[in-house]
Short mmCIF file of all heavy atoms in Angstrom, two decimals:
data_model
loop_
_atom_site.label_atom_id
_atom_site.label_comp_id
_atom_site.label_asym_id
_atom_site.label_seq_id
_atom_site.Cartn_x
_atom_site.Cartn_y
_atom_site.Cartn_z
N TYR Z 979 -10.64 20.46 0.44
CA TYR Z 979 -10.91 20.56 -0.95
C TYR Z 979 -10.76 21.90 -1.63
O TYR Z 979 -10.08 22.06 -2.66
CB TYR Z 979 -12.29 19.97 -1.35
CG TYR Z 979 -12.11 18.48 -1.69
CD1 TYR Z 979 -12.85 17.59 -0.60
CD2 TYR Z 979 -11.56 17.91 -2.60
CE1 TYR Z 979 -12.70 16.22 -0.84
CE2 TYR Z 979 -11.48 16.51 -2.90
CZ TYR Z 979 -12.11 15.70 -1.94
OH TYR Z 979 -12.00 14.31 -2.22
N PRO Z 980 -11.18 22.96 -1.00
CA PRO Z 980 -10.94 24.31 -1.63
C PRO Z 980 -9.38 24.58 -1.77
O PRO Z 980 -9.18 25.09 -2.74
CB PRO Z 980 -11.63 25.33 -0.59
CG PRO Z 980 -12.69 24.51 0.00
CD PRO Z 980 -12.09 23.09 0.25
N GLU Z 981 -8.62 24.29 -0.79
CA GLU Z 981 -7.28 24.62 -0.91
C GLU Z 981 -6.57 23.72 -2.00
O GLU Z 981 -5.79 24.12 -2.79
CB GLU Z 981 -6.49 24.26 0.45
CG GLU Z 981 -5.05 24.57 0.46
CD GLU Z 981 -4.39 24.52 1.73
OE1 GLU Z 981 -5.10 24.42 2.83
OE2 GLU Z 981 -3.15 24.54 1.87
N LEU Z 982 -6.94 22.31 -2.12
CA LEU Z 982 -6.52 21.64 -3.20
C LEU Z 982 -6.84 22.08 -4.50
O LEU Z 982 -6.07 22.20 -5.41
CB LEU Z 982 -7.05 20.12 -3.03
CG LEU Z 982 -6.56 19.13 -4.08
CD1 LEU Z 982 -5.19 18.95 -4.00
CD2 LEU Z 982 -7.42 17.78 -3.82
N ALA Z 983 -8.12 22.52 -4.74
CA ALA Z 983 -8.59 23.04 -5.92
C ALA Z 983 -7.92 24.37 -6.36
O ALA Z 983 -7.63 24.55 -7.58
CB ALA Z 983 -10.12 23.37 -5.91
N GLU Z 984 -7.52 25.24 -5.38
CA GLU Z 984 -6.84 26.46 -5.65
C GLU Z 984 -5.41 26.15 -6.13
O GLU Z 984 -4.80 27.00 -6.84
CB GLU Z 984 -6.87 27.28 -4.43
CG GLU Z 984 -8.17 28.08 -4.19
CD GLU Z 984 -8.47 29.18 -5.16
OE1 GLU Z 984 -7.56 29.79 -5.70
OE2 GLU Z 984 -9.62 29.17 -5.56
N THR Z 985 -4.87 25.16 -5.59
CA THR Z 985 -3.42 24.82 -5.80
C THR Z 985 -3.24 24.13 -7.23
O THR Z 985 -2.08 24.43 -7.73
CB THR Z 985 -2.90 23.76 -4.74
OG1 THR Z 985 -3.16 24.45 -3.47
CG2 THR Z 985 -1.48 23.65 -4.85
N LEU Z 986 -4.17 23.42 -7.66
CA LEU Z 986 -3.83 22.70 -8.93
C LEU Z 986 -4.55 23.30 -10.13
O LEU Z 986 -5.63 24.05 -10.02
CB LEU Z 986 -4.48 21.25 -8.73
CG LEU Z 986 -3.90 20.58 -7.48
CD1 LEU Z 986 -4.57 19.15 -7.53
CD2 LEU Z 986 -2.42 20.27 -7.48
N ASP Z 987 -4.03 22.98 -11.31
CA ASP Z 987 -4.55 23.41 -12.57
C ASP Z 987 -5.67 22.30 -12.93
O ASP Z 987 -6.65 22.64 -13.51
CB ASP Z 987 -3.57 23.53 -13.71
CG ASP Z 987 -2.57 24.55 -13.47
OD1 ASP Z 987 -2.98 25.58 -12.91
OD2 ASP Z 987 -1.32 24.44 -13.79
N THR Z 988 -5.37 21.09 -12.58
CA THR Z 988 -6.35 19.93 -12.95
C THR Z 988 -7.64 20.24 -12.11
O THR Z 988 -7.53 20.47 -10.88
CB THR Z 988 -5.70 18.61 -12.60
OG1 THR Z 988 -4.52 18.51 -13.42
CG2 THR Z 988 -6.69 17.47 -12.73
N PRO Z 989 -8.79 20.08 -12.75
CA PRO Z 989 -10.06 20.23 -12.06
C PRO Z 989 -10.15 19.21 -10.92
O PRO Z 989 -9.62 18.03 -11.09
CB PRO Z 989 -11.07 19.96 -13.05
CG PRO Z 989 -10.40 20.42 -14.40
CD PRO Z 989 -8.96 19.98 -14.23
N VAL Z 990 -10.69 19.62 -9.81
CA VAL Z 990 -10.90 18.66 -8.74
C VAL Z 990 -12.36 18.25 -8.60
O VAL Z 990 -13.22 19.14 -8.49
CB VAL Z 990 -10.47 19.36 -7.38
CG1 VAL Z 990 -10.73 18.48 -6.15
CG2 VAL Z 990 -8.86 19.51 -7.40
N CYS Z 991 -12.58 16.96 -8.44
CA CYS Z 991 -13.95 16.42 -8.48
C CYS Z 991 -14.11 15.73 -7.17
O CYS Z 991 -13.37 14.81 -6.79
CB CYS Z 991 -14.08 15.45 -9.57
SG CYS Z 991 -15.64 14.60 -9.64
N VAL Z 992 -15.08 16.19 -6.35
CA VAL Z 992 -15.27 15.52 -5.00
C VAL Z 992 -16.17 14.24 -5.23
O VAL Z 992 -16.94 14.15 -6.14
CB VAL Z 992 -16.14 16.54 -4.16
CG1 VAL Z 992 -16.46 15.74 -2.79
CG2 VAL Z 992 -15.35 17.67 -3.91
N GLY Z 993 -15.71 13.21 -4.44
CA GLY Z 993 -16.31 11.83 -4.61
C GLY Z 993 -17.66 11.81 -3.72
O GLY Z 993 -18.08 12.77 -3.19
N GLU Z 994 -18.19 10.57 -3.73
CA GLU Z 994 -19.51 10.40 -3.03
C GLU Z 994 -19.37 10.44 -1.55
O GLU Z 994 -20.38 10.32 -0.89
CB GLU Z 994 -20.21 9.07 -3.55
CG GLU Z 994 -19.43 7.85 -3.19
CD GLU Z 994 -18.53 7.40 -4.35
OE1 GLU Z 994 -18.04 8.33 -5.09
OE2 GLU Z 994 -18.31 6.20 -4.57
#
Side-chain angles (χ1 to χ4, degrees):
Y979 270 107
E981 186 174 345
L982 181 63
E984 283 292 320
T985 305
L986 305 180
D987 295 329
T988 299
V990 172
C991 175
V992 178
E994 62 268 28

